[in-house]
Amino acid sequence: MYVQRCIECGREYDPREIAYTCECGGLLEIVYELDMVDTSFVSSGEPLSVWKYSSLLPVEITPVSLKEGGTPLYECEKIGQELGVELYVKHEGMNPTGSFKDRGMTVGVTKAIELGMKVVACASTGNTAASLSIYGAKAGIPAVVLLPHEKVALGKVAQALMHGARVLSVRGNFDDTLALVRELCTSEGFYLLNSINPYRLEGQKTIAYEIADEMGWESPDRIVLPVGNAGNISAIYKGFVELKKLGIIDNVPMMTGIQSEGACPVVDAFERGDEDILPVKEPETVATAIRIGNPVNAKKALNAIRESKGFAERVSDAEILKAQRELAMAEGIGVEPASAASVAGLKKLRELGVIERGERVVCITTGHLLKDPETVLKNAPSPIEVDATIEAVRKVVF
Ligand code: F0G
């Protein structure tokens, strides 16, 4: 059994109540009676997937699933050696729509069906929209997605359109679209599937379960990941905490959140030692996925970072693009810019001495390279155009 509980005042809500936030304004989280949880997944030998851990997921019906999760954990010896750490990359770009959002959406859309909702909706910098669109299609429930006009990477817009969501391009930034969709969901009775929805985050916490599972139920020392609306870092932290409370792992890794210089309210608050963020009015970064000035889950994220003795750091667009190239060229891992912020952050924190030599680090690469081909083409040399003769070809190869 489980309830929805406010992280601020502790007030509990029935699991069927559609609240999103507490009356006091606090964020909600799903809390389980952990001593009742079946933990046979620890030794079942079942392949990794979101639903392998269904005893820790708040769902009562057959899931709306496209086989999400089970993403590869790559050991990255080259970059790891260069930085003096034991480095792994959990490549969430290998999910059905090419981002980690699918973990949350399989749970969130299933919940929408379970609760008898008629329409699902979200605001998005792109990946949430792509994901909601495919799970909406699979479940046969209409999906509405609000995107910030001209600030969403091409692949994500294509996905949302192709899978049949009603796609709105809003003249405003992500924070504006999120405020709008919250109002829309209240007035129209649509089910809101942004990460303020605590059920969606439950799916995302399975990233933690899979990492621990694959490491033989041991934790890495540190998790490094990009932070936008701040849901994922909160969810992954919750996943590790639950495993520790269940006695399955001994330690919770240091949660380390990376933002872009042009959109880093969580890093600013962390540095000030504040519990609350000051929103950034005009966020800007090449990593459009995390171009967010007023993250709704900031409180949960700051808790996660502080309680785990983690860290928050900002990186520049140039550092992000450099890390994206290095991951692609040295390790064969193709990620979108936001995802590369994790590796850029790892580099910076090694240089600053925050991350120590020899640490076992897992970077989460949240989205696939093909999400944002335009940024790649803008920053890579053009293909070499040649005549269709062997001489011409020979002349330009190595
Ligand atoms: N990386 C990628 C590729 C993302 O798409 C996002 C968020 C994040 C990182 C940050 O995750 O918001 O949980 O802190 N994208 C959202 C979207 C906002 O609408 O697709 P977060």
Side-chain angles (χ1 to χ4, degrees), residues 98-101 122-130 146-147 156 174 194-195 200-201 204 225-234 259 288-292 295 297 336-339 364-368 371:
S99 89
F100 70 98
K101 305 288 178 175
C122 71
S124 179
T125 56
N127 282 323
T128 300
L146 276 65
L147 307 176
K156 306 173 188 179
F174 170 81
N194 279 99
S195 54
R200 207 193 95 187
L201 291 184
Q204 288 174 207
L225 77 163
V227 171
N229 219 11
N232 209 29
I233 191 168
S234 316
Q259 296 195 293
T288 52
I290 52 171
R291 185 175 169 271
I292 295 176
N297 289 299
E336 67 168 286
S339 308
I364 315 288
T365 55
T366 44
H368 199 279
K371 290 282 192 173

